[in-house]
Structure formats: structure tokens, C-alpha cells
Amino acid sequence: MKRSLVVAGAAVLLLAGCGTSGSPEPQAAGGGGSATIDYWLWDAAQQPQYQACADAFHKANPQYNVKITQYGWDDYWSTLTTAFVSGTAPDVFTSHLSRYPEFAAQGQLMPIDDFVAKDKVDLSIYQDGLADLWVTKDGKRYGLPKDFDTVAVIYNTKMLKDAGIKPEEMAKLSWNPQDGGTYEKVIARLTVDKNGKRGDEPGFDKTKVATYGIGSNGSGGGFGQTEWSMYTMSNGWQYGDQNPWPTKFNYSDPKFKETIKWFTGLIEKGYMPSLDIVNSGVGMIDSYGAGKYAMVTEGSWNTKTFFSLKDVKSGIAPTPIGPTGKRASLFNGLADNITAGTDNPEAAWAWVKFLGSPACQEEIVAKQATVFPAIKTATAKAEQAFADAGIDVKAFTVHVDEGTTHLAPIAEHWADITATMTETMEAIFSFKSDVNALDQANETVNGLFG
């Protein structure tokens, strides 16, 4: 599952069916008759907590029932797109910042501004910046934040101990694009070849690696949420000239190029798997669970999955401090969208409002230790729930506490940007091109904006 923030994309579709004739006139919740609300989500791990929210919602609103349908990430968006075309889309669905602007532009979503105003929804209760991400360029709002996530380092505690590295050291690591700093030293130390030689020892064979010091999700395309964003941003780089809706991107910036050169250098040294290995069909979580990776950089939404792996005990460390003197993490969040063609706008809004309320986020979701709810006061409850499950998640929340989060770009033309940057970054990561290929890629990207 990928939860990158940027406005992603599938190619623009010629959609018909629900929503194409205009959005229904919103009304405040509570005015409609009985209704069943069709609700879709993609994360099986989160389905139980939202079923609990649905049960609480029905108890408070007996006239409304919620029917939840779950699809896997790979099928979710294609199924939803087909449903838009056929007019069978759900009333409400869990949405993603990489998808909703395109749906909104096509008239498939119902703005909720009038609902929010009539019911006096307090948007200040959410973590700073999250609510703004669900407003399109024309000023219309399409969602209330439901959760947030950041990135941290998850490591195998036994491998760390065997390498003679203390957990306290992991919290103080720093990196730089010249020699990788103490961060690269740890990565090298955790790398072991098939003869038992470590990456920092004489005789290490980078062609026969048994355990890589750090795993990989791939090239990261033009976004790199869990791949390289924490390094580029802690090196003082930003995606564009403004956010949201940048008019110029900075992929040819020297700070970006030197960071990517250092990062791909970990592959050359044998400390990180090649793109061929990453794309071989075995996912990062399974590779980590099998002992192929000593540590990985991952989003908080997968924390419980890593800690549920058999025969592996994990710990979490914050992302390393960069040349700016600070660490960095992207700040992501989901929300729920209402389909423009819903037959039950009042019921749909009532459900969306409940999903964005303390009654769901603070009283139910926070206690499940799966994600961090978007409401500020629920963060501490979620941290405690994780702690009760034996998981210290401060390495994720430290970014919120220290103000080192970065909102990723919400941009027009992201489908084309993604296509250009994915091709370019994969060429760089497979060493078919060097980082200077980013000059042409950046020119192509910025050409989209006139």
C-alpha cells in the first residue's frame, strides 16, 4: 500500500454516470429519512475500527446504516473508476490526496463546504495543515482529515545487537551527501555478505549479500515518500516553488541531485538492494521478515504489520538528522469523499462528519493502535494504545512535536509528472543514467506549466 500525498494519477478518463450532471444541493445532516450508506475502504487492517465507528454511528443515528466494502489497494481505484462510469459508485469512500483532485475536476465528488458551514465544523481540531490539503485550487472542500502519518526507521533488534549498535545510537544518527555520516556507517555495519563479512569489514563481497543494511521500496518516482524524501528535505530541498499548487518543480536542484547520487551509491556499495531485486516480486515487508533487510524506512501506517511478523523483534528510530541540522518527514493524511451522484447526501454527510469527529477518531480509532487520528487531542491516546501493545512510536510523532514535518505537493499535471519522473528515477537507480538526467526531466515537468 502506498499513501503518498501528491496528486497522482491515472490517465484522464472520459467518465459518465453519477456526478456528471452536477452535484446535489447540500443540506445539513439530520434532515433525511432512513438510508443505508454504502462505504468503501482499501485497508483490511483498518476495517475493524471503522466497523466499530459505523456501529457507534448507527447507535447515535438509528435511521442510518453503514455497509462497508473493502478492496485491496491494487484493485480499489480501478473498481472505483469503473463504478463511477457505471453509476454504481458508493455514497462515501476513503480517499487519497493522490486521487481526489482528478475526481473532483471530473465532477465525481460533492463539495462539503456548505455542510461544514451549516454544522459549524471546527477545522482547527486537526493537526496543522491537514485540513487545507482537501481544498482544491478553486477553493472547494472535499474532505475532513481522518488520520496522519509520518516516516521512521524500523530495524531488527537482534541484528542491531549482533552488530554492536545500541538503540540509543539510532536516535542520534546524522547523514550528509558526502560520506553518509553516522547513518551510512550503521547501514554498512548492518550489511552482511554470505561469508559473514560486514559492509565495513575488509573482504566484504558486495556481489553476494545475505542481509542488506537497509531495504528499499524502489526509486520513489517523483515523490519518494518512504524512499528518499526524508533525506532530500533534510538537505534543504523542496519539491516546488510553493505548496499547494506549485508552478515550478526543483528536481534539477543541486541539493536533490547530490542526495540521489549519495542514496543510489548505497546500491553500488552493496548496502541496499538493486532495483532488479526490489522489483523481483518479493515485497519489502516480506524481505524484512525473512531477514534480508536489517532495517527499512517506512510509514507509520504499517507499524503494526512489522511488529506482527513472526520471529522478528523490531524497534523504531527517527529519520536521521540532515545537513540542515534537522530531521524530516513527509506529513500525509487521508479523508473520506462523498460521491456527487449519491442518493443520500444528508446521510453521506452525517457519516463523513462522524468519521472526522472525536467520537470516532478519539474514542475508537486512537485506541486500536493502527494509525494516528488526525485530531490533535487523539494523538496521545494513540501513542498510549501503541505503548500498551509494546510499541514505542515516538520516532514517528517526534516530527509533529519538533515541527519537522513537510506537506507534500498537491499539484496539477501530476499524472504526467509521475510518468516523467518514474522513468527518469528508475533509469538512475538502475545506473542506466546518472543524476544529470534530472535536468531534462525537470525541464519536461516544468514545461507542463507553460
Side-chain angles (χ1 to χ4, degrees):
M1 181 183 71
K2 201 71 175 170
R3 287 168 45 125
S4 52
L5 263 176
V6 286
V7 178
V12 175
L13 301 170
L14 298 176
L15 298 180
C18 66
T20 55
S21 60
S23 301
E25 187 68 26
Q27 302 176 34
S34 61
T36 295
I37 303 158
D38 193 11
Y39 177 58
W40 289 9
L41 51 76
W42 67 73
D43 192 347
Q46 294 188 52
Q47 185 172 353
Q49 66 193 37
Y50 288 113
Q51 183 59 59
C53 286
D55 294 341
F57 172 73
H58 174 67
K59 185 175 181 180
N61 304 272
Q63 71 274 32
Y64 298 143
N65 292 294
V66 178
K67 177 186 176 184
I68 298 179
T69 303
Q70 184 264 329
Y71 295 94
W73 173 262
D74 291 338
D75 298 325
Y76 188 81
W77 300 106
S78 60
T79 304
L80 183 61
T81 297
T82 299
F84 279 138
V85 172
S86 64
T88 58
D91 299 293
V92 180
F93 62 94
T94 300
S95 193
H96 197 285
L97 284 156
S98 70
R99 308 282 177 156
Y100 95 90
E102 183 179 8
F103 291 146
Q106 295 163 347
Q108 301 300 333
L109 306 182
M110 184 171 68
I112 62 172
D113 304 84
D114 289 347
F115 286 117
V116 170
K118 287 180 180 180
D119 286 358
K120 296 181 172 62
V121 176
D122 182 4
L123 299 176
S124 69
I125 66 174
Y126 304 111
Q127 293 287 350
D128 295 343
L130 291 185
D132 297 338
L133 297 175
W134 294 93
V135 178
T136 52
K137 197 173 183 180
D138 61 5
K140 294 180 180 178
R141 173 173 298 283
Y142 289 93
L144 300 177
K146 64 189 300 178
D147 61 23
F148 76 85
D149 55 69
T150 56
V151 176
V153 177
I154 298 177
Y155 59 86
N156 183 310
T157 58
K158 182 179 185 304
M159 290 182 178
L160 198 75
K161 183 177 180 180
D162 291 346
I165 303 168
K166 297 179 180 179
E168 308 88 77
E169 296 177 56
M170 297 292 290
K172 301 176 183 178
L173 298 178
S174 62
W175 84 276
N176 65 72
Q178 287 73 47
D179 62 14
T182 56
Y183 186 61
E184 182 171 326
K185 284 181 168 55
V186 165
I187 294 172
R189 185 66 183 166
L190 289 171
T191 303
V192 184
D193 70 16
K194 294 181 179 179
N195 295 316
K197 292 288 185 180
R198 296 188 176 276
D200 61 354
E201 294 178 338
F204 168 71
D205 188 347
K206 67 178 183 179
T207 68
K208 298 179 180 178
V209 178
T211 299
Y212 291 95
I214 188 167
S216 173
N217 261 322
S219 73
F223 185 54
Q225 180 180 13
T226 60
E227 294 84 11
W228 43 257
S229 66
M230 67 291 293
Y231 313 124
T232 56
M233 294 185 301
S234 64
N235 195 25
W237 178 80
Q238 293 296 326
Y239 289 86
D241 59 345
Q242 60 186 29
N243 189 34
W245 317 116
T247 61
K248 177 183 176 183
F249 279 80
N250 300 320
Y251 293 119
S252 61
D253 187 300
K255 290 184 181 296
F256 185 78
K257 292 168 72 172
E258 69 179 3
T259 302
I260 298 303
K261 185 176 182 179
W262 163 75
F263 191 54
T264 54
L266 298 177
I267 299 174
E268 290 185 295
K269 295 173 182 177
Y271 302 161
M272 186 169 72
S274 68
L275 203 58
D276 286 342
I277 292 174
V278 173
N279 294 335
S280 66
V282 181
M284 188 172 74
I285 294 174
D286 290 336
S287 294
Y288 175 86
K292 300 296 184 182
Y293 302 158
M295 69 181 194
V296 298
T297 49
E298 183 58 294
S300 54
W301 63 89
N302 267 333
T303 302
K304 213 166 188 179
T305 301
F306 275 90
F307 276 76
S308 297
L309 292 171
K310 294 182 179 179
D311 303 321
V312 179
K313 185 176 180 182
S314 296
I316 312 175
T319 57
I321 297 168
T324 61
K326 297 180 180 180
R327 58 184 98 252
S329 172
L330 283 177
F331 199 39
N332 189 15
L334 302 180
D336 297 291
N337 290 162
I338 299 175
T339 300
T342 178
D343 293 328
N344 304 300
E346 298 88 356
W349 162 245
W351 173 230
V352 166
K353 180 183 175 183
F354 187 82
L355 287 166
S357 73
C360 175
Q361 293 192 22
E362 197 164 345
E363 299 305 319
I364 297 174
V365 175
K367 298 176 181 179
Q368 300 301 309
T370 303
V371 296
F372 299 117
I375 294 176
K376 294 175 183 177
T377 54
T379 301
K381 288 188 177 182
E383 283 184 315
Q384 186 58 53
F386 275 108
D388 291 343
I391 306 172
D392 184 350
V393 293
K394 287 186 176 59
F396 287 111
T397 58
V398 67
H399 294 289
V400 176
D401 297 337
E402 296 183 354
T404 54
T405 58
H406 296 253
L407 296 174
I410 305 299
E412 296 177 294
H413 308 298
W414 191 258
D416 293 326
I417 294 171
T418 297
T420 295
M421 290 307 300
T422 297
E423 180 181 2
T424 302
M425 293 296 280
E426 290 194 351
I428 292 171
F429 273 66
S430 59
F431 302 101
K432 296 175 183 176
S433 300
D434 64 21
V435 292
N436 291 319
L438 290 164
D439 295 337
Q440 180 58 55
N442 198 66
E443 185 176 334
T444 299
V445 166
N446 286 338
L448 296 169
F449 297 89

